[in-house]
Amino acid sequence: MIPHNPCAEAKLPSVPRKKIVPLAVEQVRTLSEEIPARYKGLVLLGAATGLRPGELFGLQLRHVDLLHATVSVEQQIQQTAKHGVYVCPPKTARSHRTVPLPRVAVDAMKAHLRDFPTDGPEGWIFTAPQGGPVVYTHFMDGSWRPACAKAGIAKGTGPHALRHHYASLLIKHGESVKTVSERLGHTNAAMTLNIYTHLWPDSEERTRAAVDKAYADQSADAQPQVDEAA
């Protein structure tokens, strides 16, 4: 009906990105104690691996290798009004990944599987109280939000905060953008920087030192050589 798009030349206003303030280690520990026991391992695993909520819900026993301390992300559980609760592939191709399990995660999984054993390799690691996989809305209303309130964590904080917490720990301890991106299953490193760039340590002093060292080296090279024989 209209041969030309009247909005083609319009310049959209930039949307300011809210800076992420990660949960502290003590907040995560408190949250894991306040949440129902069946989800304590979920909180600790999420904080120690950076898996998305749907990826945590989609874990089956076959995905967790405690002997080699790894967890494989091969699927996720999603919930929509149209399709209900269903199992599907991870968010993107890069989301298929194997994440190393630190000792805190291995210990949490051993304790969880002891108290809430699964029904064979295809059994869900984390289950709803009535059985079956965890449903996001039920988990939020019945377990997550009440636990956050008891732990003194800001209202509106979702399970994705565990992922941000994990990323902040990697950054704090010197991991590269590439490594953080791979662990989180981001599409590319640019996406990681776009979200977490403000968390990387300030490098003002290193920048000054690098330039000063370069010029100091050049000054040393330019010094005339003294003939000791003379």
Side-chain angles (χ1 to χ4, degrees), residues 63-132:
H63 298 134
V64 179
D65 185 347
L66 295 181
L67 180 62
H68 298 96
T70 60
V71 59
S72 299
V73 179
E74 299 176 3
Q75 63 188 26
Q76 63 173 329
I77 289 181
Q78 287 295 319
Q79 180 184 21
T80 64
K82 182 178 180 181
H83 299 100
V85 179
Y86 62 98
V87 180
C88 61
K91 187 176 181 180
T92 66
R94 288 284 300 274
S95 296
H96 290 265
R97 63 198 187 281
T98 298
V99 181
L101 292 177
R103 171 53 56 185
V104 63
V106 172
D107 291 344
M109 286 299 91
K110 287 180 178 178
H112 176 79
L113 292 172
R114 181 191 65 235
D115 297 337
F116 303 94
T118 62
D119 187 19
E122 301 297 318
W124 303 107
I125 294 289
F126 305 109
T127 58
Q130 67 275 19

Side-chain angles (χ1 to χ4, degrees), residues 33-76:
E33 295 298 329
E34 295 294 349
I35 206 162
R38 69 185 316 106
Y39 298 131
K40 178 177 181 177
L42 186 150
V43 169
L44 295 175
L45 184 63
T49 61
L51 268 62
R52 298 177 177 93
E55 295 169 348
L56 290 168
F57 299 159
L59 288 178
Q60 294 174 298
L61 186 60
R62 61 190 175 91
H63 298 134
V64 179
D65 185 347
L66 295 181
L67 180 62
H68 298 96
T70 60
V71 59
S72 299
V73 179
E74 299 176 3
Q75 63 188 26
Q76 63 173 329

Side-chain angles (χ1 to χ4, degrees), residues 123-191:
W124 303 107
I125 294 289
F126 305 109
T127 58
Q130 67 275 19
V134 179
V135 178
Y136 185 83
T137 52
H138 297 167
F139 171 73
M140 290 295 293
D141 294 336
S143 300
W144 178 268
R145 290 193 182 103
C148 283
K150 293 177 182 177
I153 294 174
K155 187 177 181 180
T157 301
H160 215 81
L162 299 175
R163 182 170 167 83
H164 297 323
H165 169 80
Y166 173 74
S168 73
L169 293 182
L170 297 190
I171 293 168
K172 180 179 179 181
H173 287 85
E175 289 290 0
S176 67
V177 178
K178 181 176 181 294
T179 298
V180 176
S181 180
E182 289 177 349
R183 295 288 182 266
L184 295 176
H186 280 166
T187 303
N188 50 53
M191 180 179 180

